[in-house]
Structure formats: C-alpha cells, structure tokens
Amino acid sequence: MVAPLYNTVDSPMRDNEEQLPGIKDMDVDDKKQIWEDWNADEEYDEDDDVELLCLFCDYKYISSDSLFEHCFSSHSFDFGSIRTTMNLDFYGCFKLLNYIRSQVGQNRCWSCGTTCQSRSELQDHLHEPSLGSSNLPWDNDMYLKPYMEEDHLLYDFDKDEEVDDDSMISSKEDMLENLKISIEENGASSSEVKSNDKKSNNAIDHEIVIVNKNYFGSYGSFGIHREMISDKVRTDAYRQAIVDNPSLIKGAVILDVGCGTGILSLFAAQAGASIVNAVEASDKMASVASQIAKDNGLLWNESPNRNGVVKVVNGMVEDLIESKQIEPKSVDVLVSEWMGYCLLYESMLNSVLIARDHWLKPGGAMLPDTATMFVAGFGKGATSMPFWEHVYGFDMSSIGKELVEDAAHIPIVDVVDGNNLVTNTALLKTFDLVTMKHDEVDFTASVQLQQKGQSTVSKCYGIVLWFDTSFTNRFCKEAPTVLSTSPYTPSTHWSQTLLTFCKPISLSSLVDMAHHSCLPAGTDANPAVDINSRISIVRGLEHRSIDISMEVTAVGFDGRKRKLPVQMFNMR
C-alpha cells in the first residue's frame, strides 16, 4: 500500500536546447558531445541559474544573502536578526518562510495580520515586527509543507550557515539536497492546494472525491476483509472489548464507523446492544453487511425473532450528518477500527472524531479510547542485507546495500522481530480519542534512544514505529484490553513501519571511547551513546496520505553531536 516516490528531473541538455544554436536539428550523439563540451568549457552548474523570488515582491536574486539584504532595506524584514532573536533552528526558519509566503499570498501582513486591498498596499504597509518569545504564528507543522511551487529559497537560505565540527561527515548540503528532492516531488501538490490562481476549491474537492472513491472502492474486495478478520490479535481485542464488557454494551446505542462486513456490529448485537448503527461508505460492503446481518437474524426490522438491532447506513460520516439518518448526540458507545499503517496512514481518524463530536452523547464511550505510538532503533537483521550476503554461496551484498540506501527515501511497511531491535523503546505520541482536537493529528515529538542490552558495539540502521490502541478501564471496566502492533508481540496485518537512516549509526553503552573524541560521534571508532530524534507526522497534501520528517543526531560519550541530513518521507 506504500508506493515509492520517484523524482522526475528533466535532462540538463533538454533544459538548455534553446541556448545552443541549431541543437534541435542535431542527432542524439551530437547533442551529447556539445553538452559535454558546454560542461567542460563553462563548468556549468544548474544551481548557478536558480533565481530566488523575494518574499514580498517580484524581484529575483541569485543568492539568499542578496535577497535578504533587499528584504531588509525594502520591506523591513531582517531575516538574520529574527532568526537569532527567536533562536530559530532549520525547521523554524523553514516554517517562517512558508508562513510569510502564505500571508503575502493573501495580501496580509505577516507580522501584525492586517489584510490589505492589494499587493502594492501591502508593501507600503510592511513594518518591523514586534514578536514575543512564544506563540509564534508560524510555529505550526502545516508550514513544513512548501507553499509555493519550486521555492528554491527553502533549500538555499541555510547554505552559508557555519557548521559544527561534527558535521564533517554529515554536511549541510546533504540535508538541503534531501529537502530539495522532497520539494521537487511534493511542491506541485502543495501549490495546487494553496494557490487560488492555480486551482479552484471545486477542483480540489473533486480530487478528494476521487481519492475517497478509490479508497472505499478498494474495500469492496473480500480479500482485504478476510485479511483483517483473520488478524486474530485485532479481531480478538475488539471482541473482548465489546462482548466481555456487558455493563457498557447491554442496552446501549452503538455507532460502528466503517463497519465493513459488520463484524464489530455483530459483536455489539451479540452483547445486547439496543441499536447498532453500522456506517459504511462503500456501497458494496454496505450491501454485504446488510445481507450478513439479515442472514444472522440481526438486521433491523427484518428479524423474525425481533433480535434485529443492526441498522446499516450507507454513506460517509461527513455526508450522513447532513442527512440526519442518525440523531445528534444519540450514541452511547462509538466503536471503530480506524487505524492505518504507522497508525495514521489512510486512517479514518478524522471521520471518527467528526462522528464523536456530532453523535456521541456527553460522557459517551469510545472504543478504543487511547492510541499510543512507539519507536525503537533497528539493526541490520531488520533490513534485507543479511539475505543478500549469502545467496547459494555467492556474495550479493551490494544489492542489499543499495536497497538500504533506497529505503532512506521511503517508509517501509514490514514485520520486524523484536530480536532485531538494538535500542530501548521510546514513547513518541499518545492520543486520547475522547478529548483530542482535530488538529492534534499533526504533531512533532522528540525521543532519545540508547543501546539495548549489548556489551559490544552495534549498528542502528533506522527507526521502527508501531502503535497500541487501548480499551482502558475508563469504559471497559470488566475486561480492559490492549491491541498491540509491537515487534515483541504476535504480528498483525499492520506490521511495523521502518524509517531508514541515510547512514547507520554505531552505538555503545559500555565502551569508553573518550580517547577517540576527535572523531565524529556514531562512527565505528567513536560510537554514539545516544540517538536523539525529532519526528514530525502531518497529514499530507494528498487526501489520506501522511508526510513524515525525521531529524537525527548522534551524541558521543564526550557530548559531541553529529547531525544526519534531515529526511522526509511520504506515505501515499
């Protein structure tokens, strides 16, 4: 379900055909020779021709320094001073620039919020900002998404920053190139959504309709439902939470969001619910769920023994609110199996929260009521490298190394054995589904990882993410339970999600490497004692996708730090 991203970059020869006399009339070999001569004579670098657009007007510059000098003298915007005063790191600056682009695009003053009638009026209005140390308006993960297509300033503003000694291996240019690739791959989508002169809201809504149609249409396949029902960990956890908690379910009005075959609704009917509203957006599966409920004598108004309590409602939550087929604030218990890969990919969490806010009674129950994400570092055994080291007696390890390098750009969904984890487990994020707000789905969190139970140096190749959803004793008083997708428990159809480092980090907890303090932290000669990671997960510009960014720092025994290039992943 997770497709790799491919970066489509036009050939430099094709980009410059107009500049070379008669090149369109030449054959491929002649073109190639001229292009090689062009490179040799001129030492052409495509970055030399990149123009950086001013944040506030239409002037363009070839360097960020000259652009920011212009912004200071003409628009009262002192980037360097703001960066220092606000103590902004790379992410903070990235979000600030996107925030300004978004405000200027609406003719709004970025520092005071005043809306002007035109761009020229805005430029006359611009003034020095008055900013406090907290509540920065750009301090929101939504501004990690590029506002403008091909905004080269986003990967140029940091090029001249003085780097630490420990960046001799992991250079700033590597990090910026990673970000550049992400912008090239995702920038067009960003622009399409945020720029009114690129695409109308109606067109965006049409795209969402198409994505939803494909998404719900995919669940018309019985194979997917067999896989989910056959997932014993998943289905047993829900059955226990519903059937083994009679004080919660008996006589209650239940809402099952995304019922599929209706298995959870059947559990609720079996446990004595008075009404079960089984909501399903897939036309085919709504029909199937109705037939199954009928076949089991549980379909509303069609049960000869008056046990019919299951009402199958065909439609998306967002549409059903308007139709009023279910009365507002009429539900005692909301149950849903909404989780996706990495918890949030393709999940129905937003729909579940909408259903909660509209239909759940005050004090009503959520099943599950909490969701928690965890991370740990994985070793070589969790990668494909061991397989390729010995293939019928031949060494094919070069393939394994290439696959690991490729994995540094895409998230991998796979089953990881707990024995292949080389660090402790750290809590990344906890959601209280009863109280959480809709925008809390997007988050940034930091974790610290150390070597796990090793007496020798081990290598950490990346971070693995998994989740638990809990049916706590807040509502499940007789039989609380936990649905875990941990590498240390039986596997589920969600598997785990792996984010591979661009370079593996050597770890040690016992070896004193103080005499190697001159070497970069995290190398074989100077293993790291800590891996500090900052991970952001936000809803992607493409409907039902998520964007993940990861910033990793290896910390040595002497406290020296080495930052790896920022990595950005998209699950779509």
Side-chain angles (χ1 to χ4, degrees):
M1 295 179 71
V2 181
L5 297 176
Y6 297 96
N7 185 26
T8 303
V9 181
D10 288 337
S11 163
M13 184 188 302
R14 187 162 62 252
D15 290 342
N16 292 276
E17 284 183 352
E18 297 294 342
Q19 302 177 34
L20 300 178
I23 193 169
K24 286 188 175 181
D25 299 325
M26 298 180 181
D27 60 28
V28 173
D29 292 336
D30 290 337
K31 287 183 179 180
K32 182 177 180 181
Q33 183 59 51
I34 287 184
W35 179 249
E36 291 172 351
D37 293 342
W38 174 285
N39 274 334
D41 295 341
E42 303 295 334
E43 296 183 344
Y44 177 85
D45 185 344
E46 61 182 356
D47 287 340
D48 291 341
D49 286 346
V50 169
E51 292 183 320
L52 309 177
L53 178 65
C54 173
L55 293 165
F56 306 99
C57 66
D58 295 330
Y59 285 143
K60 296 180 180 179
Y61 296 85
I62 61 173
S63 75
S64 57
D65 285 344
S66 56
L67 183 149
F68 289 132
E69 287 177 8
H70 159 76
C71 288
F72 176 65
S73 61
S74 300
H75 306 301
S76 302
F77 175 71
D78 189 346
F79 176 72
S81 176
I82 293 172
R83 181 177 192 172
T84 302
T85 303
M86 297 291 101
N87 193 28
L88 299 181
D89 59 6
F90 178 84
Y91 275 122
C93 294
F94 192 90
K95 290 191 282 190
L96 169 62
L97 297 179
N98 273 316
Y99 172 75
I100 293 175
R101 295 275 194 216
S102 71
Q103 298 304 293
V104 171
Q106 302 172 68
N107 291 329
R108 183 181 298 142
C109 177
W110 74 276
S111 59
C112 72
T114 299
T115 300
C116 300
Q117 296 300 314
S118 64
R119 181 66 61 85
S120 59
E121 181 182 332
L122 173 64
Q123 292 179 13
D124 292 336
H125 166 85
L126 291 172
H127 54 83
E128 292 184 4
S130 177
L131 299 171
S133 58
S134 61
N135 298 324
L136 302 179
W138 62 85
D139 191 16
N140 188 311
D141 286 342
M142 66 181 289
Y143 297 114
L144 288 173
K145 304 171 186 175
Y147 176 81
M148 188 181 76
E149 182 178 358
E150 296 184 359
D151 189 356
H152 297 286
L153 180 61
L154 292 176
Y155 50 87
D156 190 275
F157 75 87
D158 218 34
K159 279 188 176 178
D160 297 326
E161 181 187 38
E162 185 174 345
V163 296
D164 300 335
D165 292 339
D166 57 8
S167 65
M168 62 185 73
I169 289 184
S170 177
S171 68
K172 184 70 71 175
E173 284 76 16
D174 289 338
M175 179 176 68
L176 294 168
E177 182 60 25
N178 244 356
L179 185 56
K180 177 180 177 181
I181 291 171
S182 177
I183 290 173
E184 287 172 343
E185 291 175 340
N186 299 310
S189 296
S190 230
S191 174
E192 288 170 2
V193 171
K194 291 191 174 182
S195 177
N196 289 333
D197 60 353
K198 288 283 186 180
K199 183 179 291 184
S200 68
N201 288 332
N202 287 338
I204 296 170
D205 291 341
H206 180 64
E207 284 189 359
I208 292 175
V209 168
I210 292 175
V211 172
N212 282 336
K213 182 177 180 180
N214 293 335
Y215 172 70
F216 292 117
S218 69
Y219 281 87
S221 165
F222 294 130
I224 292 176
H225 294 280
R226 175 174 177 173
E227 179 184 20
M228 292 188 292
I229 293 175
S230 298
D231 185 338
K232 188 173 176 59
V233 174
R234 163 200 180 270
T235 308
D236 280 357
Y238 274 90
R239 185 181 185 281
Q240 179 177 331
I242 295 170
V243 174
D244 294 348
N245 287 283
S247 66
L248 177 66
I249 303 298
K250 190 172 180 61
V253 176
I254 310 296
L255 176 64
D256 179 3
V257 178
C259 72
T261 59
I263 183 66
L264 305 187
S265 295
L266 300 179
F267 287 155
Q270 184 183 54
S274 61
I275 299 175
V276 182
N277 297 294
V279 174
E280 175 54 49
S282 166
D283 297 345
K284 179 176 180 179
M285 291 313 301
S287 176
V288 169
S290 295
Q291 186 62 50
I292 291 174
K294 182 178 180 179
D295 291 345
N296 288 274
L298 296 172
L299 187 64
W300 179 264
N301 284 341
E302 294 196 27
S303 170
N305 54 10
R306 297 186 179 180
N307 289 329
V309 298
V310 177
K311 296 181 177 180
V312 179
V313 186
N314 183 201
M316 291 178 58
V317 164
E318 295 79 357
D319 296 333
L320 293 176
I321 289 175
E322 299 297 327
S323 71
K324 298 183 179 179
Q325 295 183 56
I326 304 172
E327 288 296 319
K329 304 299 180 183
S330 64
V331 171
D332 298 301
V333 180
L334 190 159
V335 61
S336 180
E337 194 273 80
W338 52 265
M339 299 83 74
Y341 295 141
C342 196
L343 183 66
L344 299 173
Y345 172 61
E346 276 196 353
S347 80
M348 301 185 300
L349 181 55
N350 288 329
S351 297
V352 170
L353 297 181
I354 292 172
R356 176 201 67 183
D357 295 343
H358 188 73
W359 286 308
L360 194 64
K361 293 178 181 178
M366 299 279 290
L367 297 181
D369 58 310
T370 67
T372 307
M373 300 179 72
F374 300 93
V375 298
F378 63 85
K380 182 179 178 180
T383 72
S384 62
M385 293 181 69
F387 172 84
W388 293 106
E389 288 175 347
H390 303 285
V391 180
Y392 287 90
F394 298 101
D395 180 1
M396 298 187 181
S397 58
S398 59
I399 295 177
K401 292 176 182 177
E402 182 176 339
L403 290 174
V404 169
E405 290 174 0
D406 291 343
H409 303 293
I410 57 173
I412 304 296
V413 176
D414 202 356
V415 174
V416 177
D417 190 296
N419 293 325
N420 290 321
L421 300 186
V422 296
T423 75
N424 62 300
T425 296
L427 186 151
L428 181 67
K429 179 69 174 179
T430 294
F431 299 101
D432 185 333
L433 302 173
V434 178
T435 62
M436 71 176 290
K437 299 177 181 178
H438 292 251
D439 60 3
E440 292 177 20
V441 175
D442 302 330
F443 70 91
T444 299
S446 297
V447 295
Q448 186 178 64
L449 302 173
Q450 294 90 29
Q451 188 186 39
K452 179 190 73 173
Q454 298 286 334
S455 58
T456 58
V457 175
S458 57
K459 282 195 174 184
C460 181
Y461 281 78
I463 288 175
V464 58
L465 297 91
W466 68 89
F467 64 87
D468 290 354
T469 52
S470 299
F471 307 81
T472 72
N473 59 11
R474 171 165 49 178
F475 302 120
C476 297
K477 300 188 183 303
E478 290 97 342
T481 189
V482 176
L483 166 54
S484 179
T485 64
S486 167
Y488 296 107
T489 60
S491 62
T492 69
H493 76 279
W494 287 286
S495 303
Q496 290 86 34
T497 302
L498 292 84
L499 306 178
T500 306
F501 295 156
C502 53
K503 294 179 182 293
I505 296 175
S506 295
L507 273 174
S508 178
S509 57
L510 300 176
V511 181
D512 182 7
M513 306 297 294
H515 58 288
H516 291 303
S517 60
C518 60
L519 299 175
T523 56
D524 290 341
N526 188 20
V529 65
D530 289 318
I531 298 176
N532 295 336
S533 299
R534 185 168 67 168
I535 299 172
S536 295
I537 301 181
V538 299
R539 286 164 291 186
L541 294 170
E542 182 176 320
H543 193 46
R544 299 191 181 276
S545 69
I546 58 173
D547 293 326
I548 305 173
S549 64
M550 179 172 66
E551 185 176 3
V552 177
T553 302
V555 182
F557 282 85
D558 59 355
R560 286 171 55 85
K561 300 178 180 180
R562 176 171 67 101
K563 292 183 178 180
L564 272 65
V566 175
Q567 294 173 258
M568 303 185 75
F569 305 85
N570 178 270
M571 296 186 75
R572 60 184 178 188

